[in-house]
Amino acid sequence: MPKAKAQRDTAVVEVVPLSGFDADLAYAVPPICVEQMRPGLLVRIPLRRRSELGVVTRLGTDQVVPPGKLKMLYEIVQPHPVLPADMLQLFRWAMRYYSATPESMLEAMIPSAIRKGMRPKTRRYLAIGEAPDAEAWQELERRAPKQAELLRFIQQQFKPLPRATVLNRLKISASACEALVAKGYLQESDTEEARVAYDDDISDSPEVVGHALRPTLTPEQAQAVEAINGAIDLDTFSVRLLHGVTGSGKTEVYLNAIEKVVATGGGVIFLVPEVALAPQTVGRVRSRLEARGVHTTVWHSHLSDGERYDAWNALASGEAHVVVGARSAVFAPVQNLKLIIVDEEHEPSYKQEEAPRYHGRDVAVYRAMINQAVCVLGSATPSLESLYNVERGKYAVDRILKRVDDRQLPRLHLVDMRREALQGKGPSPISRLLMDKMVDRFEKKEQSILFLNRRGYSTSMLCPECGYVAECEHCSIPMTFHRTDKTLRCHLCGEMHPAPHRCPKCKAPDIRWRGQGTQKIEDIVQKILPRARIVRMDADSMSKKNLYRKILNDFRIGKIDLLVGTQMIAKGLDFPNVTLVGLVDADMSLHVEDFRAAERTFQLIVQVSGRAGRGDRAGEVVIQTSTPHAPPIQFARQSDFDGFQLEELEQRREFNYPPFRHLIRHLFRGRNPEKIEFYMEQWLKVLEKELGDQIEIRGPAPAPIEKIRDEYRFQLWYFAPSASRVIESIAKLRKSFPLDKEVIDLLDVDPMQMS
Ligand code: ADP
Ligand code: ZN
């Protein structure tokens, strides 16, 4: 039977289409692709009369396809596997757990350059081939002087030259060059060019100097290294929390573990909470690994398509073994993955606040499980989630209680701003104590950091006559005054208009500005220290791409005396000459509607304080607050981690909040609040009937920020002992529930953002 024979001869693979995951489909493989075919490859397939992306799940098939019905796939999109079995499993889990669409999950996992089939950038080089004899030379000189000129030029060089550059410079046509190649006098070769982010100036940047040296580990570091390396030896899945105070040398511990893993050809993912921290960390890792010939790549959302492609390709091909990056690097195609490090694991920035709403740390743990790898979560202020996992024996813990070199943790001073206001000449955002200490540091040529997590100048405009407060027309928050360009701006929707001179409502002339932002602090400090070099770092001043690194470098080499900034400068940075840190308003994070408010405040104080006294001189921290007796502030002041953890866990247990149960936040928004409320009522009825016995439902209630961009916002909270099963049921139910098209909803599993 000729037909059956034809089918047997054709190579067949099973492919799972990425647009939906219902079934694997069989496809024939074009003859030129047969040799390269492997599971995990991204391929383009004909499906439902369209061309779609799919992943090869197996070679061959048991499916019986009627003769003539077997379609042929179009092409292999990337030469290296894009979603091998482990990644496919991760993909499916994350999509379900975070209730994400396959499209959004794909976008997070596979860079668009890869999906679009980008290939390496190659450059063509010219080198000398076979030399012409005298006669041939003469002939060339006479009949093709341009060719002769080019050949002579290349002969005078010591190494191959880029073809385009040479032809351009000598103004010689491509055909002249091709003629020489055809005669064999010149040789052409293609070389892949890597676009390596941060490779340009990393080697001589002060970020790196000193770190290539291998310090003698402190006893506590050594113990942690031994424990982690022991776990790596077991070659099986485990999670370890590295709980070490700020400046305890956690990075050194990570580096030791990385070295151990790469020594046996293993792969490593090293996550940092912020893009901005990537260069510092990459520098440290590279300076340690480069000497061993191990290649480290960076990965974050600010890479160009080309850079990202190269990083992806280096990892997928196994040429690079280590990746350092922000959240999305958790999906990097690292081969033979043995170790995932999540530095500052408590950072909310690991949670993606747009679809797919995944938590980088939690995905890291799951991926480590799939790959039988070790996951190390490091922090000076671990999340309650991780501490709870230690408490119930799911994670092991290694603690470092002392800083390196017997350096002291900084001294913390609390300043009660209510008293300060009564004593001074009216309220000032900078207390006497902080002022004096800043002056002192400046005179001693030591550096200071002032921290305030609010950009702009003043937080609100108030008319003392009629009580009018300038609020955004589209959002339910006050407008912030920006003095640099005299505007009022909404930090939610970006609405902006010139700041009025009179009250827009009653025309009274003396408008008051209340509250302070980083611009105002910068102004005040410049008045206190007119000769100091002060730089502000916040989203307003950092709009340019590389400014951030430049400023941090200037600060490191002492070109800047004092840094004023938002949370951008709160974490991870290591500046030895900083001896004073001021936390301008410690209460800000305490009074938000969020069950993690206390945790955040504690973490913030400890982390910000951790920037002080990392060099030879002791550090001091001034914490300004109107609620000095609030527990997180008191615990932080005494550096009492265990005390805080115990009390906070007790509170959460009592109210049955995370980490004791999972929280799923269901947000509804739209322009018509009545409509939203109506649909939420209907939805609740369905939900209660179907799942009322499995989850506790709270709400509906207006979200803390009731309106953004003219859309009203309401939410429901679902509490569940385990999220994975329940979320699927909710998602399924929601799919069959007809929602008005003017009402938009989203599910946020394990939310970090409550507003
Ligand atoms: P952490 O991340 O715990 O806050 P880092 O890893 O940034 O701390 O280390 C703080 C500083 O101490 C860094 O400059 C680092 O190079 C240095 N360091 C780390 N370990 C040692 C050690 N054993 N001896 C001397 N210096 C060390
Ligand atoms: Zn607005």
Side-chain angles (χ1 to χ4, degrees):
M1 290 202 333
K3 264 183 183 162
K5 183 173 182 302
Q7 197 174 333
R8 214 182 320 126
D9 284 350
T10 325
V12 178
V13 289
E14 284 186 4
V15 175
V16 55
L18 291 178
S19 56
F21 270 90
D22 303 340
D24 290 6
L25 307 172
Y27 282 92
V29 182
I32 51 160
C33 297
V34 167
E35 218 164 283
Q36 293 153 275
M37 211 22 100
R38 273 193 286 168
L41 285 182
L42 191 65
V43 289
R44 193 166 285 290
I45 48 172
L47 185 71
R48 300 181 208 108
R49 297 217 193 86
R50 282 202 315 238
S51 151
E52 289 201 15
L53 289 177
V55 169
V56 177
T57 47
R58 70 178 274 209
L59 304 183
T61 184
D62 300 333
Q63 296 178 25
V64 182
V65 186
K69 287 280 178 192
L70 188 66
K71 288 190 202 154
M72 188 173 270
L73 60 84
Y74 294 134
E75 59 166 349
I76 296 173
V77 179
Q78 284 296 334
H80 302 296
V82 170
L83 288 181
D86 55 337
M87 293 297 278
L88 203 55
Q89 192 184 341
L90 187 68
F91 181 107
R92 288 175 160 145
W93 169 78
M95 190 172 74
R96 294 210 184 105
Y97 187 89
Y98 293 107
S99 191
T101 60
E103 295 79 27
S104 71
M105 207 60 233
L106 268 184
E107 234 159 84
M109 282 185 81
I110 310 174
S112 69
I114 302 303
R115 277 177 284 138
K116 282 188 243 143
M118 192 175 198
R119 294 292 162 115
K121 189 176 158 198
T122 54
R123 214 165 176 194
R124 187 149 286 190
Y125 281 80
L126 289 177
I128 323 166
E130 203 177 300
D133 57 23
E135 201 177 318
W137 254 121
Q138 270 179 6
E139 172 94 1
L140 208 58
E141 300 261 14
R142 206 167 18 143
R143 300 178 106 198
K146 277 290 182 191
Q147 288 184 29
E149 186 188 347
L150 175 59
L151 188 55
R152 220 175 298 119
F153 182 81
I154 299 291
Q155 283 181 339
Q156 286 157 4
Q157 309 299 321
F158 296 106
K159 55 177 190 201
L161 290 180
R163 180 179 188 263
T165 317
V166 174
L167 299 190
N168 238 333
R169 185 142 136 228
L170 303 180
K171 298 203 169 44
I172 286 175
S173 69
S175 57
C177 181
E178 277 153 24
L180 286 172
V181 173
K183 289 173 198 152
Y185 300 154
L186 281 185
Q187 281 182 348
E188 283 184 341
S189 61
D190 289 339
T191 311
E192 268 185 37
E193 282 217 339
R195 290 150 285 215
V196 182
Y198 305 133
D199 221 14
D200 42 346
D201 52 350
I202 204 82
S203 48
D204 57 354
S205 106
E207 284 161 0
V208 173
V209 174
H211 289 301
L213 299 173
R214 180 182 303 274
T216 312
L217 297 179
T218 65
E220 285 181 319
Q221 276 176 320
Q223 218 165 38
V225 167
E226 199 182 322
I228 293 170
N229 286 2
I232 292 170
D233 275 333
L234 294 178
D235 209 13
T236 160
F237 168 62
S238 64
V239 186
R240 301 193 77 90
L241 177 67
L242 178 60
H243 184 180
V245 297
T246 55
S248 61
K250 291 186 286 294
T251 312
E252 195 53 45
V253 176
Y254 304 145
L255 288 173
N256 274 272
I258 295 173
E259 284 178 305
K260 173 160 178 85
V261 168
V262 298
T264 54
V268 181
I269 296 177
F270 188 153
L271 299 183
V272 292
E274 195 108 333
V275 176
L277 290 173
Q280 174 179 302
T281 309
V282 174
R284 282 194 191 182
V285 175
R286 278 205 183 129
S287 63
R288 192 63 74 77
L289 296 185
E290 215 91 296
R292 297 163 157 260
V294 175
H295 186 41
T296 305
T297 56
V298 281
W299 188 280
H300 55 67
S301 53
H302 292 194
L303 295 181
S304 69
D305 266 2
E307 287 169 337
R308 185 180 301 277
Y309 171 82
D310 289 346
W312 188 91
N313 198 47
L315 292 166
S317 66
E319 181 210 327
H321 286 97
V322 183
V323 62
V324 176
R327 180 177 61 224
S328 58
V330 75
F331 296 119
V334 174
Q335 304 295 297
N336 194 17
L337 182 66
K338 291 286 175 216
L339 174 67
I340 308 184
I341 293 161
V342 185
D343 193 23
E344 314 284 1
E345 65 87 24
H346 63 279
E347 278 294 338
S349 57
Y350 280 119
K351 181 81 199 264
Q352 179 151 300
E353 293 300 349
E354 56 193 51
R357 295 182 170 72
Y358 71 94
H359 197 303
R361 176 199 59 212
D362 299 344
V363 173
V365 170
Y366 198 87
R367 186 167 179 194
M369 190 188 78
I370 296 177
N371 287 277
Q372 292 295 301
V374 173
C375 186
V376 176
L377 310 177
S379 176
T381 52
S383 63
L384 269 288
E385 282 77 5
S386 295
L387 290 169
Y388 178 56
N389 279 326
V390 169
E391 192 189 275
R392 59 184 177 151
K394 284 181 91 175
Y395 298 174
V397 64
D398 303 300
R399 294 193 72 170
I400 310 184
L401 302 168
K402 291 202 198 84
R403 283 189 159 182
V404 295
D405 281 350
D406 291 325
R407 278 169 208 152
Q408 296 301 303
L409 280 173
R411 265 188 68 189
L412 270 64
H413 308 272
L414 280 189
V415 176
D416 184 342
M417 294 305 275
R418 289 167 312 180
R419 261 207 239 152
E420 186 81 14
L422 295 177
Q423 285 165 354
K425 301 172 244 119
S428 158
I430 306 274
S431 63
R432 192 75 244 170
L433 185 74
L434 183 52
M435 222 181 273
D436 291 346
K437 290 198 183 289
M438 275 184 329
V439 174
D440 174 63
R441 295 311 136 111
F442 178 62
E443 282 165 0
K444 285 192 195 145
K445 295 199 165 36
E446 294 173 11
Q447 291 171 303
S448 309
I449 294 178
L450 289 196
F451 176 85
L452 176 64
N453 205 7
R454 197 189 280 132
R455 61 202 170 88
Y457 194 86
S458 300
T459 41
S460 61
M461 190 202 91
L462 170 80
C463 172
E465 289 295 319
C466 72
Y468 172 86
V469 175
E471 220 185 55
C472 176
E473 282 171 53
H474 313 287
C475 311
S476 55
I477 61 160
M479 301 282 274
T480 302
F481 177 50
H482 283 237
R483 194 151 108 170
T484 39
D485 53 4
K486 304 226 165 14
T487 54
L488 283 178
R489 293 193 206 180
C490 172
H491 284 179
L492 284 179
C493 72
E495 167 81 9
M496 180 167 94
H497 45 78
H501 299 285
R502 294 166 169 273
C503 171
K505 200 169 155 206
C506 75
K507 308 291 174 221
D510 42 323
I511 283 171
R512 297 260 172 81
W513 306 98
R514 280 195 314 193
Q516 65 267 1
T518 42
Q519 288 183 4
K520 188 173 190 172
I521 300 300
E522 183 190 14
D523 259 26
I524 294 173
V525 175
Q526 195 72 74
K527 283 194 189 106
I528 300 169
L529 298 168
R531 284 175 303 119
R533 292 155 302 178
I534 297 164
V535 173
R536 172 168 54 87
M537 271 182 103
D538 55 30
D540 297 317
S541 68
M542 289 300 114
S543 45
K544 282 203 211 85
K545 194 182 166 194
N546 277 325
L547 201 54
Y548 186 93
R549 293 183 65 209
K550 181 180 164 2
I551 291 182
L552 290 187
N553 250 343
D554 284 354
F555 192 52
R556 192 179 300 273
I557 57 179
K559 278 195 193 164
I560 295 169
D561 302 305
L562 193 146
L563 213 52
V564 177
T566 54
Q567 63 190 17
M568 263 184 187
I569 58 171
K571 53 192 109 169
L573 299 168
D574 184 25
F575 300 110
N577 198 35
V578 172
T579 56
L580 175 67
V581 167
L583 183 50
V584 176
D585 183 357
D587 305 336
M588 242 178 74
S589 52
L590 200 54
H591 304 307
V592 292
E593 285 180 58
D594 187 334
F595 67 89
R596 289 196 185 87
E599 183 184 354
R600 292 273 164 76
T601 305
F602 178 81
Q603 289 168 342
L604 178 69
I605 296 174
V606 174
Q607 291 292 340
V608 171
S609 307
R611 302 312 114 213
R614 297 171 73 90
D616 303 331
R617 283 167 300 247
E620 270 186 301
V621 181
V622 176
I623 299 165
Q624 307 193 138
T625 166
S626 302
T627 49
H629 298 293
I633 294 180
Q634 282 297 329
F635 281 122
R637 178 207 185 155
Q638 287 146 18
S639 299
D640 184 358
F641 304 98
D642 297 341
F644 175 74
Q645 169 190 338
L646 273 177
E647 177 165 319
E648 186 62 18
L649 268 180
E650 220 24 73
Q651 294 259 328
R652 301 274 185 94
R653 203 187 310 262
E654 192 175 319
F655 294 102
N656 227 331
Y657 270 128
F660 295 93
R661 285 190 299 180
H662 283 274
L663 172 60
I664 298 154
R665 180 176 177 240
H666 197 172
L667 186 88
F668 293 73
R669 60 185 170 83
R671 291 187 170 236
N672 183 338
E674 286 81 30
K675 216 175 213 175
I676 300 175
E677 283 182 298
F678 172 79
Y679 277 94
M680 284 178 87
E681 297 286 319
Q682 303 306 311
W683 160 250
L684 260 182
K685 281 185 199 150
V686 178
L687 186 68
E688 244 153 25
K689 182 162 159 272
E690 296 293 326
L691 293 168
D693 55 338
Q694 292 178 49
I695 53 177
E696 183 196 331
I697 303 169
R698 288 194 203 164
I705 301 174
E706 292 179 34
K707 193 174 83 173
I708 298 180
R709 289 191 186 84
D710 294 316
E711 287 187 329
Y712 294 84
R713 310 163 80 245
F714 294 84
Q715 58 185 7
L716 288 165
W717 279 12
Y718 314 137
F719 288 95
S722 123
S724 41
R725 259 180 309 117
V726 155
I727 184 72
E728 254 182 283
S729 313
I730 297 175
K732 218 164 164 192
L733 201 60
R734 168 63 191 82
K735 246 187 193 161
S736 62
F737 176 82
L739 197 62
D740 189 275
K741 67 176 184 308
E742 282 171 44
V743 180
I744 296 160
D745 71 330
L746 68 86
L747 283 168
D748 191 356
V749 181
D750 302 333
M752 295 301 276
Q753 180 69 265
M754 300 298 153
S755 56

